[in-house]
Amino acid sequence: MKNRLCTKFLGLALCSVVMQVQASSTIKDFISSGSRDIAYFNCAYKGKKASKKCLVSHSFIKSNTHPELKKFYGPNETLTAINIKWPDGDISRYAYVDSMDMFNLNSKNGWGYRIRDKDDMDGWDIDFSRGFIIDGSPHGENLIRLW
């Protein structure tokens, strides 16, 4: 009787755990949703893979968060930002701006970054073939990669 009760309890506990496990988000799903969810992804900076996964989240900011954005958009434009917490504790923050460009919120003049894109029949689209890539200036090098 005691053995049977333990087996039933173990079965219920296992079912509970299985129901709580969700499939991990792909970087494409995460970026496309633009939601405030958080997720862990492999990450690299200037081609060097981080030792652990990065914690990635989206947030909404006002353009008055940064003087350059305020000049460009005015004071009250709402923008979506991606936040990347690196394993060493450093945090990168980029705002999505027009035409696949990204704005580095941690920089005095944050212009000069863009999402790696591809040309398709319907116009420009994000190229997720190697993950989500933010290219930096001056020559469009692969600055940040999430996958």
Side-chain angles (χ1 to χ4, degrees):
M1 180 72 166
K2 190 176 181 182
N3 201 11
R4 185 182 246 183
L5 186 60
C6 286
T7 304
K8 285 183 181 181
F9 177 73
L10 186 59
L12 286 173
L14 184 59
C15 286
S16 172
V17 170
V18 169
M19 289 173 62
Q20 291 178 4
V21 173
Q22 298 176 354
S24 61
S25 174
T26 67
I27 191 64
K28 182 177 182 177
D29 294 338
F30 182 83
I31 296 298
S32 299
S33 76
S35 69
R36 289 188 171 199
D37 291 340
I38 60 172
Y40 284 92
F41 294 103
N42 290 314
C43 48
Y45 181 76
K46 291 187 176 180
K48 184 173 181 184
K49 184 180 177 192
S51 59
K52 297 179 189 171
K53 291 185 175 191
C54 290
L55 178 64
V56 183
S57 64
H58 279 123
S59 61
F60 299 100
I61 63 165
K62 289 289 187 185
S63 53
N64 64 2
T65 303
H66 194 285
E68 290 291 317
L69 289 175
K70 185 177 178 180
K71 271 194 247 178
F72 189 78
Y73 287 104
N76 291 317
E77 186 73 23
T78 300
L79 302 168
T80 304
I82 187 169
N83 311 295
I84 306 162
K85 184 172 183 185
W86 298 88
D88 66 1
D90 214 14
I91 297 176
S92 298
R93 296 178 62 227
Y94 290 85
Y96 296 92
V97 292
D98 297 333
S99 303
M100 305 294 274
D101 287 339
M102 299 293 283
F103 184 89
N104 185 345
L105 294 164
N106 297 342
S107 176
K108 186 176 180 180
N109 181 2
W111 300 109
Y113 303 90
R114 67 180 285 105
I115 299 169
R116 173 79 49 91
D117 53 11
K118 62 182 176 185
D119 190 8
D120 64 10
M121 299 300 259
D122 300 322
W124 295 96
D125 196 10
I126 296 175
D127 181 2
F128 286 105
S129 62
R130 293 187 52 235
F132 180 72
I133 298 173
I134 299 174
D135 288 331
S137 21
H139 305 294
E141 69 268 4
N142 182 338
L143 184 68
I144 293 174
R145 180 176 164 229
L146 304 169
W147 71 101

